[in-house]
Amino acid sequence: MKPALCLVAMGALVMDSSPQCTKQLLSERFGRGSRTVDLELELQIELLRETKRKYESVLQLGRALTAHLYSLLQTQHALGDAFADLSQKSPELQEEFGYNAETQKLLCKNGETLLGAVNFFVSSINTLVTKTMEDTLMTVKQYEAARLEYDAYRTDLEELSLGPRDAGMRGRLESAQATFQAHRDKYEKLRGDVAIKLKFLEENKIKVMHKQLLLFHNAVSAYFAGNQKQLEQTLQQFNIKLRPPGAEKPSWLEEQ
């Protein structure tokens, strides 16, 4: 049977509703209890949380950019159609309306390509934040819960060790020692798991962001330079396919 989630402490899910854990939690909150600290690991965890907040901000801005680009494309498309229609109905301005219609058509084509690149960028950041980072933080929460449990049963064992050594106390000490050891093993295992996940997360983040930042830079630079060929080459380089213009909004993106 899975243990009930009964307490929330310092962002950690506490899996143990025992009096020892409740006492440890309250002691720590009021600054009275002793707490096991792995300073290097905790600094890495705090850095991850800060990084996640910053990436969430980038993700939100990227989604806003996608929405604005899509809206701009719809306006340019409608404007191009209006110019083309007026070109047919205004012989004296046919040429002027005609080349403005062609310009809007070209802008739409380049905009669709840019939108595909930005969508790919946003999709990758979303995966990094909501799946990769979140998976590591779930392990962190388990580690933090195990740390609280470990300190709770360590304190309990220390207090029992200071008591009288009669026959009944020896049995309680042996039981407390076994419980403490089990929680110590759990804590140390999860501490190792967190360290490994943090290491692999950092390596993966650098790999993903190196690719995505290069894509974003090349696509935006080519778009504002009016370089259609470079825009198309950028999408080919990153294996991005565009949806047909009739596809559902807001994404023109289709990954291979």
Side-chain angles (χ1 to χ4, degrees):
M1 179 180 296
K2 294 183 179 179
L5 301 181
C6 58
L7 297 172
V8 179
M10 302 166 291
L13 295 177
V14 181
M15 308 290 286
D16 193 327
S17 59
S18 66
Q20 291 92 335
C21 287
T22 302
K23 179 181 177 182
Q24 178 68 24
L25 172 61
L26 294 175
S27 295
E28 289 183 14
R29 283 190 171 178
F30 290 104
R32 294 197 300 265
S34 65
R35 178 178 183 274
T36 301
V37 177
D38 186 326
L39 186 58
E40 182 180 355
L41 189 61
E42 292 196 11
L43 287 173
Q44 291 180 49
I45 290 170
E46 183 54 36
L47 179 60
L48 169 59
R49 288 181 169 134
E50 181 182 355
T51 300
K52 185 172 182 284
R53 288 192 292 270
K54 292 179 178 179
Y55 274 63
E56 285 171 340
S57 178
V58 170
L59 179 59
Q60 183 179 11
L61 292 169
R63 286 170 171 162
L65 178 60
T66 298
H68 292 316
L69 284 173
Y70 183 83
S71 180
L72 175 62
L73 281 174
Q74 301 311 298
T75 302
Q76 289 175 330
H77 189 275
L79 189 58
D81 287 345
F83 283 154
D85 182 59
L86 286 167
S87 174
Q88 299 297 320
K89 297 176 181 178
S90 306
E92 68 282 1
L93 293 172
Q94 182 175 17
E95 182 179 351
E96 289 83 354
F97 277 126
Y99 60 64
N100 273 282
E102 288 300 316
T103 297
Q104 293 302 315
K105 182 179 178 181
L106 177 61
L107 286 172
C108 280
K109 180 175 178 59
N110 288 348
E112 289 168 5
T113 307
L114 175 63
L115 185 58
V118 174
N119 270 323
F120 188 84
F121 174 82
V122 169
S123 175
S124 298
I125 299 296
N126 181 64
T127 299
L128 181 63
V129 170
T130 63
K131 295 185 179 179
T132 312
M133 289 184 180
E134 191 59 35
D135 175 72
T136 301
L137 285 172
M138 284 301 298
T139 304
V140 167
K141 289 177 180 179
Q142 294 171 3
Y143 157 74
E144 290 174 337
R147 196 280 310 159
L148 183 66
E149 293 170 2
Y150 162 70
D151 279 336
Y153 289 102
R154 173 183 56 79
T155 301
D156 184 56
L157 179 61
E158 289 172 354
E159 291 176 352
L160 285 174
S161 298
L162 296 175
R165 297 300 182 94
D166 55 34
M169 181 59 68
R170 281 198 297 272
R172 291 180 61 190
L173 272 172
E174 290 175 1
S175 176
Q177 178 66 48
T179 302
F180 163 73
Q181 187 61 49
H183 283 283
R184 180 180 180 177
D185 292 344
K186 177 183 177 182
Y187 163 70
E188 290 182 347
K189 178 183 182 302
L190 282 166
R191 181 173 60 179
D193 290 345
V194 168
I196 291 171
K197 284 201 171 187
L198 286 170
K199 178 178 181 294
F200 284 123
L201 173 61
E202 183 64 18
E203 293 173 354
N204 185 56
K205 183 191 72 176
I206 292 172
K207 181 180 178 181
V208 168
M209 292 310 299
H210 175 78
K211 175 181 178 180
Q212 294 306 317
L213 290 171
L214 181 63
L215 161 68
F216 191 84
H217 174 269
N218 289 353
V220 171
S221 298
Y223 174 79
F224 284 103
N227 192 331
Q228 180 181 352
K229 182 178 180 181
Q230 185 180 340
L231 257 176
E232 293 172 350
Q233 288 176 343
T234 297
L235 265 66
Q236 291 173 2
Q237 177 184 356
F238 292 94
N239 298 320
I240 302 171
K241 287 184 177 181
L242 297 181
R243 294 179 184 270
E248 294 181 2
K249 71 171 186 178
S251 177
W252 301 81
L253 174 69
E254 190 169 275
E255 297 180 43
Q256 283 187 333

